[in-house]
Amino acid sequence: MISQVLRDARKYEETAQKAITREMRPGFHLSPRVGWMNDPNGFSFYNGKYHLFYQYNPYSSHWDTMHWGHAVSSDLLHWEYLPAALAPDTACDRDGCFSGSAITLPDGRQMLIYTGVEKINLSDGSDCVLQRQCLAVGDGVDYEKYGENPVLDESSLPQGSSKYDFRDPKIFARADGSYGCVVGNCDGDRDGRVLLFGSPDGFSWEFERILAENKKRFGKMWECPDFFELNGKQVVIVSPQEMLPQGFEYHNGNGTLCLIGHDDGGKFVEEHNQSVDYGIDFYAPQTVLAPDGRRIMIGWMQNWDTCPANAPNQPWFGQMSLPRELSIKDGRLHQQPVREIESLRKNEVRYENIKFTDVIKLDGIEGRKVDLEILLRPGDMENIYHKFAVRFAQNDKFQTSVSFRPHERVVKIDRKFSGSRRVVIHQRRSLVRTEGGVLKLRIILDLFSAEIFVNDGEHVLTATMYTERAADEISFFADGAVTMDVVKYDLVAEEK
Ligand code: FRU
């Protein structure tokens, strides 16, 4: 039974979507069908297709009572919208269906697990928000909420856990046919932790243990946890709120954190921590295990603090990042754009051993939907250059740049001149590895974003930019002598 609230949302999105033409959207990044999008939800492979749900307010391009939007794809790049999957229409989710995940049940149905939000008035007159985990089961289009929701509430929490910050369940199948689920949480001081629950059937759940704890290291509340094995290691990904900066590794505000470790008799032992993305706009990522064994991650290509920076009157707001293949090399998380993107490549333009010392433009290297690979070497080994930069989304008024200072080992993304009229951050830096000024960059540009993969995905920096479309030049700058190989492809996602 589809509720009236969901029926209304479906009707609205179907009509309102017509005002948004293909040209108004990113070329190959997912944007909401209409209205507002935040976190990826329920990223899964079901009945032969990738399913991606998202935090969704169809009715305006601002965050409000959360629904789940829904899209499917065969290649993670061409997305087809399906009707909204969840709406706030039951007692325990009447104030929002917050983030969650999806799994295929043994009987072939797809199960969604999400956070139901309910605002209540306390007897002392104050308000509070309860967050509890709920289920919905369906066929890939329509989902029925489980009659016994919620399946996890405050009675399942360990001592000291907040019942107001208890959200974003990520479910996974275990080898013995049972299920595990990690949920974001914090203690009374809002210090983040990831809780692990277990279930024989996906419907009845029990607390197992605290999987990972912040211990006041990285921000406050930990949102949107994920937990999986990768290259023989265990990986926890969380999105902490209210981070303090730490050197070049962690930035202020909402961040994404990766803990890499191993299992010691049922205990997760941390070995290494790092940022997942060193740019401005990347948050709340979620992974899926693809049928071919790849662990693929997608994030919300936005940052809560910089939302006001964007055009106020657009009929949609929010984008997903490019899906990224994950691996661990030398103990670090590496990310590469999904290989499917190679099928979008058109019009190759290649230059080798280009030597320059100031500003150059290269014939055929331009565009706003582009895959650009750059291999940079010093032109003079005795006297390594001071700075290199590539500028894009450029005309005589605007540009966004990625620069590299080999002596400091710093890569910087700077969108100050991208057309923004707001006082929000426009730059971020990352400390990278270089030997003698050699650096590899892969830059994926879409109409409203740049994703920078440094040294085969050892570091990634992501930023949105809402520069006018006419700004499509690309130029290169060097302070000192540089030798560069560069390959450019247009990225063309034809309508399927
Ligand atoms: C993260 C988040 C989640 C929550 C959702 C609400 O961006 O705050 O913790 O489920 O957004 O839309």
Side-chain angles (χ1 to χ4, degrees):
M1 254 291 281
I2 306 288
S3 71
Q4 193 56 45
V5 185
L6 184 57
R7 224 192 298 267
D8 288 347
R10 287 180 167 189
K11 207 167 150 201
Y12 180 83
E13 63 179 1
E14 211 185 318
T15 312
Q17 177 198 359
K18 297 192 180 119
I20 311 176
T21 61
R22 188 73 197 81
E23 290 64 45
M24 292 160 79
R25 295 186 182 275
F28 47 93
H29 286 80
L30 183 68
S31 53
R33 188 165 179 187
V34 57
W36 162 278
M37 159 194 277
N38 59 293
D39 314 355
N41 293 158
F43 193 18
S44 52
F45 191 83
Y46 178 67
N47 278 353
K49 286 207 164 149
Y50 291 98
H51 285 244
L52 186 63
F53 304 81
Y54 50 90
Q55 288 287 279
Y56 182 37
N57 174 27
Y59 300 111
S60 90
S61 54
H62 296 277
W63 190 91
D64 208 332
T65 315
M66 282 290 109
H67 296 59
W68 275 32
H70 191 184
V72 288
S73 173
S74 306
D75 65 358
L76 297 158
L77 299 165
H78 295 82
W79 292 97
E80 178 197 333
Y81 294 111
L82 292 184
L86 298 179
D89 54 12
T90 65
C92 55
D93 62 22
R94 65 174 186 218
D95 293 300
C97 300
F98 275 20
S99 284
S101 51
I103 199 115
T104 306
L105 293 172
D107 64 8
R109 293 178 302 162
Q110 189 179 42
M111 187 169 79
L112 310 180
I113 180 165
Y114 66 98
T115 302
V117 175
E118 186 187 357
K119 286 188 197 144
I120 52 169
N121 300 106
L122 301 178
S123 51
D124 65 3
S126 61
D127 288 341
C128 77
V129 173
L130 290 177
Q131 302 193 332
R132 299 174 294 200
Q133 315 324 316
C134 301
L135 303 176
V137 178
D139 60 1
V141 179
D142 296 322
Y143 297 85
E144 189 166 342
K145 296 205 176 145
Y146 182 48
E148 286 168 53
N149 279 340
V151 291
L152 280 172
D153 64 11
E154 61 185 287
S155 64
S156 324
L157 290 171
Q159 242 205 330
S161 271
S162 162
K163 62 181 175 191
Y164 308 121
D165 285 302
F166 175 40
R167 59 181 175 271
D168 312 334
K170 175 77 199 299
I171 191 171
F172 55 93
R174 287 175 161 157
D176 64 1
S178 70
Y179 301 94
C181 185
V182 284
V183 186
N185 184 227
C186 60
D187 65 15
D189 288 337
R190 298 203 69 245
D191 199 26
R193 43 168 72 170
V194 177
L195 306 180
L196 178 63
F197 296 86
S199 168
D201 57 3
F203 292 87
S204 63
W205 290 91
E206 268 182 21
F207 173 70
E208 288 185 356
R209 62 196 149 93
I210 299 178
L211 181 73
E213 278 182 289
N214 190 21
K215 303 212 175 85
K216 302 210 168 12
R217 295 171 297 166
F218 311 111
K220 300 262 190 187
M221 164 66 187
W222 282 5
E223 303 188 302
C224 300
D226 202 341
F227 179 47
F228 51 89
E229 300 218 338
L230 187 65
N231 304 130
K233 294 285 181 193
Q234 289 198 324
V235 179
V236 173
I237 290 181
V238 289
S239 294
Q241 296 181 313
E242 299 171 69
M243 300 269 282
L244 289 173
Q246 293 179 34
F248 286 100
E249 192 59 37
Y250 297 106
H251 300 295
N252 309 65
N254 289 97
T256 44
L257 166 71
C258 172
L259 303 171
I260 297 177
H262 64 272
D263 175 72
D264 181 12
K267 202 171 159 262
F268 171 69
V269 180
E270 277 181 38
E271 294 166 19
H272 165 77
N273 66 75
Q274 65 174 93
S275 270
V276 176
D277 195 288
Y278 295 81
I280 305 170
D281 297 303
F282 189 85
Y283 194 63
Q286 194 171 89
T287 68
V288 65
L289 188 62
D292 60 8
R294 287 177 296 166
R295 178 62 61 174
I296 299 175
M297 177 180 73
I298 196 162
W300 181 38
M301 193 158 59
Q302 190 54 54
N303 187 313
W304 283 108
D305 285 335
T306 59
C307 289
N310 299 301
N313 294 324
Q314 55 194 34
W316 62 267
F317 178 77
Q319 304 171 71
M320 290 299 162
S321 73
L322 206 61
R324 302 170 182 180
E325 294 178 18
L326 301 185
S327 60
I328 296 177
K329 284 183 212 144
D330 306 327
R332 274 191 70 83
L333 183 75
H334 283 59
Q335 303 165 52
Q336 290 278 37
V338 277
R339 62 196 66 172
E340 284 84 346
I341 199 160
E342 284 157 34
S343 69
L344 267 48
R345 287 174 162 180
K346 300 264 148 57
N347 312 328
E348 176 182 318
V349 178
R350 184 182 287 270
Y351 290 90
E352 273 164 23
N353 289 314
I354 299 287
K355 294 183 194 302
F356 62 104
T357 51
D358 43 23
V359 177
I360 57 162
K361 279 193 181 153
L362 295 169
D363 268 357
I365 300 214
E366 62 194 7
R368 284 288 288 271
K369 297 179 202 163
V370 157
D371 188 344
L372 195 65
E373 291 181 338
I374 298 170
L375 176 62
L376 200 64
R377 302 179 292 280
D380 174 359
M381 287 308 282
E382 305 297 297
N383 190 7
I384 291 179
Y385 63 98
H386 290 285
K387 185 179 168 186
F388 163 85
V390 47
R391 296 171 181 150
F392 45 83
Q394 184 178 18
N395 59 11
D396 50 6
K397 231 165 137 192
F398 300 118
Q399 51 129 328
T400 292
S401 66
V402 174
S403 62
F404 175 53
R405 291 180 179 274
H407 300 281
E408 287 91 28
R409 293 194 289 125
V410 170
V411 167
K412 180 171 93 176
I413 182 150
D414 187 344
R415 61 169 182 196
K416 188 165 59 189
F417 300 106
S418 67
S420 161
R421 295 174 189 274
R422 299 283 161 214
V423 191
V424 297
I425 60 154
H426 291 116
Q427 302 177 340
R428 280 253 168 103
R429 292 174 173 80
S430 172
L431 200 60
V432 301
R433 235 164 29 94
T434 180
E435 265 164 47
V438 175
L439 191 79
K440 241 173 130 173
L441 291 172
R442 180 159 175 208
I443 300 178
I444 308 280
L445 299 184
D446 199 346
L447 267 187
F448 310 112
S449 62
E451 290 165 278
I452 320 298
F453 298 81
V454 183
N455 292 333
D456 299 312
E458 205 170 51
H459 291 82
V460 187
L461 297 92
T462 300
T464 56
M465 53 184 190
Y466 289 87
T467 315
E468 63 183 32
R469 278 147 209 258
D472 67 350
E473 292 163 26
I474 296 176
S475 65
F476 303 90
F477 164 90
D479 175 3
V482 153
T483 305
M484 175 176 81
D485 299 341
V486 51
V487 191
K488 183 229 80 172
Y489 304 89
D490 293 326
L491 291 173
V492 184
E494 273 138 20
E495 203 96 22
K496 283 205 165 165

